């Protein structure tokens, strides 16, 4: 159920598991929308079941993408603070909270924030929307997911091959100059073979893994569900 639509007297104190999508507002190549990560995280949360769905946190730590117009990043420190205060507030009435993360760059902030919240005695965790074997950014994986979830938001005839070098080889350039130093079109991977059918398979896998992690509720290092 969407938490935003519930009148406050209907919010069951100390009973609810609240799931919060955490995304970003950053370039995703010439063919995908700026809110791609938020769309994916939100869809996973909405498919979980047995949770209250909070509105998404739509801005994250995306400084590596700021060489491309449209990107808005609040930075790691601001995101960490936001997550800490968010967790402190929601835990005044919720039983427990899981942040479902759609952008890899948010990971360090989530781990630090959740570590602190758990140290303070709050049952807060996080889970990443990670696809095994995925390409790095705006490639086949994310394009397929968006073709399944939001086909009207994809511009297929703009999809083009990006930098397909292994991410390990790209890391020195990415650390030194951000994404713009490694790709001229904002893509790491090749989205040209993406399909809605593959996106549905990938999404179903994400939801299955997310549901299992939430059911187990076993926080590992950094408070991440394992």
């Amino acid at each position: 159920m969407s938490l935003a639509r519930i009148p406050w007297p209907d919010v069951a104190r100390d009973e609810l598991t609240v799931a919060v999508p955490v995304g970003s507002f950053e370039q995703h190549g010439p063919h995908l929308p700026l809110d791609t990560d938020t769309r994916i995280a939100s869809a996973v949360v909405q498919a979980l079941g047995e949770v209250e769905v909070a509105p998404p946190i739509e801005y994250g730590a995306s400084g590596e993408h700021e060489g491309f117009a449209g990107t808005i990043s609040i930075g790691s420190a601001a995101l960490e603070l936001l997550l800490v205060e968010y967790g402190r507030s929601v835990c005044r009435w919720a039983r427990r909270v899981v942040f479902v993360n759609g952008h890899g760059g948010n990971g360090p902030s989530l781990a630090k924030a959740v570590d602190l919240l758990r140290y303070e005695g709050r049952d807060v965790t996080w889970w990443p929307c990670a696809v095994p074997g995925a390409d790095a950014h705006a490639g086949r994986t994310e394009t397929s997911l968006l073709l399944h979830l939001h086909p009207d938001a994809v511009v297929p005839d703009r999809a083009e091959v990006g930098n397909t070098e292994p991410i390990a080889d790209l890391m020195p350039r990415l650390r030194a100059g951000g994404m713009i130093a490694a790709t001229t079109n904002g893509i790491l991977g090749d989205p040209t073979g993406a399909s809605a059918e593959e996106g549905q398979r990938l999404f179903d896998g994400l939801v299955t893994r997310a549901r299992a992690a939430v059911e187990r509720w076993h926080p590992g290092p950094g408070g991440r569900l394992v």
Side-chain angles (χ1 to χ4, degrees):
M1 183 179 295
S2 173
L3 188 61
R5 299 177 182 176
I6 305 175
W8 79 261
D10 298 335
V11 178
R13 182 177 289 273
D14 301 324
E15 296 181 12
L16 301 179
T17 297
V18 176
V20 188
V22 183
S24 70
F25 200 81
E26 65 185 38
Q27 71 82 22
H28 274 78
H31 63 298
L32 295 180
L34 293 162
D35 64 347
T36 288
D37 293 338
T38 304
R39 289 174 185 257
I40 293 170
S42 295
V44 171
V45 167
Q46 289 162 10
L48 282 177
E50 306 300 321
V51 299
E52 298 298 325
V53 178
I57 296 172
E58 300 190 52
Y59 297 95
S62 302
E64 69 275 19
H65 294 277
E66 287 181 323
F68 294 88
T71 298
I72 301 174
S73 172
I74 62 173
S76 297
L79 178 61
E80 180 183 345
L81 178 59
L82 185 156
L83 293 167
V84 168
E85 294 303 330
Y86 189 112
R88 286 170 175 166
S89 181
V90 70
C91 285
R92 291 182 180 272
W93 50 266
R95 176 186 170 208
R96 58 190 190 178
V97 180
V98 56
F99 293 110
V100 176
N101 181 41
H103 171 54
N106 295 339
S109 296
L110 276 157
K112 291 178 182 179
V114 170
D115 258 346
L116 176 58
L117 290 164
R118 295 191 65 79
Y119 174 79
E120 294 175 343
R122 298 171 173 89
D123 196 359
V124 181
T125 64
W126 70 286
W127 188 83
C129 295
V131 175
D135 46 12
H137 187 75
R140 181 168 179 150
T141 302
E142 289 185 313
T143 303
S144 292
L145 284 167
L146 263 288
L147 284 170
H148 168 58
L149 296 170
H150 298 279
D152 292 345
V154 182
V155 187
D157 59 359
R158 289 187 181 175
E160 59 189 29
V161 179
N163 192 329
T164 58
E165 294 178 56
I167 189 66
D169 295 343
L170 291 174
M171 285 310 297
R173 272 176 280 169
L174 292 171
R175 291 192 182 101
M179 283 284 289
I180 197 72
T183 169
T184 57
N185 61 8
I187 300 171
L188 299 180
D190 181 0
T192 58
S195 69
E197 293 74 20
E198 182 174 357
Q200 180 172 1
R201 178 179 60 80
L202 295 173
F203 182 70
D204 290 346
L206 275 174
V207 172
T208 297
R209 293 191 297 276
R211 284 177 178 165
V214 171
E215 288 174 6
R216 286 191 300 268
W217 204 265
H218 181 68
R224 172 176 165 173
L225 288 178
V226 297

